Amino acid sequence: DAKTTQPNSMESNEEEPVHLPCNHSTISGTDYIHWYRQLPSQGPEYVIHGLTSNVNNRMASLAIAEDRKSSTLILHRATLRDAAVYYCILTDRGGNQFYFGTGTSLTVIP
Amino acid sequence: DGGITQSPKYLFRKEGQNVTLSCEQNLNHDAMYWYRQDPGQGLRLIYYSQIVNDFQKGDIAEGYSVSREKKESFPLTVTSAQKNPTAFYLCASSIGWQGNNQPQHFGDGTRLSIL
């Protein structure tokens, strides 16, 4: 199973962009990169996912390195509601099993 | 609104008791999952089901059992064999299992504690 490495915590000022990094040096060619976020005492919420090309949606952007060994989740303007634990996840080649690490706890400063 | 409903939100178990956690989805998803989360940790997979009447062990299945008699329901039983059951339990579903690019939709969890 492929593993991901993320910083334990990050801080951002409100209304500024946030770049959350993830390293996945053992990624295989068919592994998708998923990002989820979790608020205390709630289930994780889907943010974005991609394979090779950069992806954008209404919540965030996902920038994937050319060699796919790292990726960055970009929140364009952080709000207080974006304070959460962000998980970078790779899926197993054989199916849709997610492998969660400990994630990055994002604090947004007003 | 489609989604996943987990009940109860809080559950207490006495030593030696089995307890069952409910998970229902109305998203018409084929695949369902159970995860366990301990404080400050990520989620770990207990069991998953690709389709009705089928389920497979995940990474930490010992002390747990599941059934999948209906597409919309995937209950988890925490048996007395699970020696450290205190945790936050999360149920999820996805359209299918095949292919590894399908978002999982999560419920709001059940917090289980031992009396």
Side-chain angles (χ1 to χ4, degrees), chain B residues 55-88:
Chain B
F55 50 84
Q56 307 292 332
K57 292 182 180 180
D59 299 321
I60 55 165
E62 186 174 350
Y64 300 97
S65 66
V66 293
S67 63
R68 185 89 188 277
E69 297 174 2
K70 297 186 296 183
K71 186 175 187 177
E72 60 269 24
S73 179
F74 190 40
L76 173 75
T77 297
V78 184
T79 74
S80 57
Q82 172 48 244
K83 296 308 177 191
N84 185 21
T86 297
F88 189 45

Side-chain angles (χ1 to χ4, degrees), chain A residues 49-101:
Chain A
H49 76 287
L51 183 63
T52 55
S53 303
N54 294 344
V55 184
N56 300 296
N57 66 21
R58 63 174 181 81
M59 289 181 72
S61 296
L62 175 59
I64 302 173
E66 199 168 327
D67 64 4
R68 300 209 330 122
K69 293 184 184 301
S70 66
S71 61
T72 302
L73 179 70
I74 303 165
L75 306 179
H76 296 287
R77 285 180 73 246
T79 70
L80 297 179
R81 287 176 295 179
D82 291 324
V85 176
Y86 286 78
Y87 293 101
C88 169
I89 300 160
L90 299 185
T91 48
D92 183 77
R93 240 172 292 184
N96 211 40
Q97 180 168 345
F98 284 10
Y99 293 92
F100 284 80

Side-chain angles (χ1 to χ4, degrees), chain B:
Chain B
D1 262 347
I4 296 183
T5 302
Q6 290 189 243
S7 61
K9 192 169 179 65
Y10 299 95
L11 187 58
F12 298 92
R13 191 190 93 168
K14 293 181 182 177
E15 298 268 359
Q17 254 185 353
N18 294 350
V19 290
T20 297
L21 283 59
S22 170
C23 177
E24 303 278 330
Q25 55 100 356
N26 60 3
L27 299 166
N28 200 33
H29 285 174
D30 281 324
M32 297 187 74
Y33 313 79
W34 273 106
Y35 293 90
R36 169 185 172 133
Q37 186 174 32
D38 293 289
Q41 303 297 313
L43 282 67
R44 291 183 291 166
L45 184 66
I46 305 172
Y47 269 97
Y48 65 93
S49 168
Q50 298 182 41
I51 202 162
V52 176
N53 293 322
D54 173 80
F55 50 84
Q56 307 292 332
K57 292 182 180 180
D59 299 321
I60 55 165
E62 186 174 350
Y64 300 97
S65 66
V66 293
S67 63
R68 185 89 188 277
E69 297 174 2
K70 297 186 296 183
K71 186 175 187 177
E72 60 269 24
S73 179
F74 190 40
L76 173 75
T77 297
V78 184
T79 74
S80 57
Q82 172 48 244
K83 296 308 177 191
N84 185 21
T86 297
F88 189 45
Y89 290 88
L90 288 153
C91 179
S93 71
S94 65
I95 291 174
W97 170 261
Q98 292 303 318
N100 55 1
N101 63 339
Q102 301 186 40
Q104 293 186 15
H105 300 256
F106 286 82
D108 279 336
T110 292
R111 192 168 298 279
L112 175 63
S113 302
I114 300 304
L115 292 176

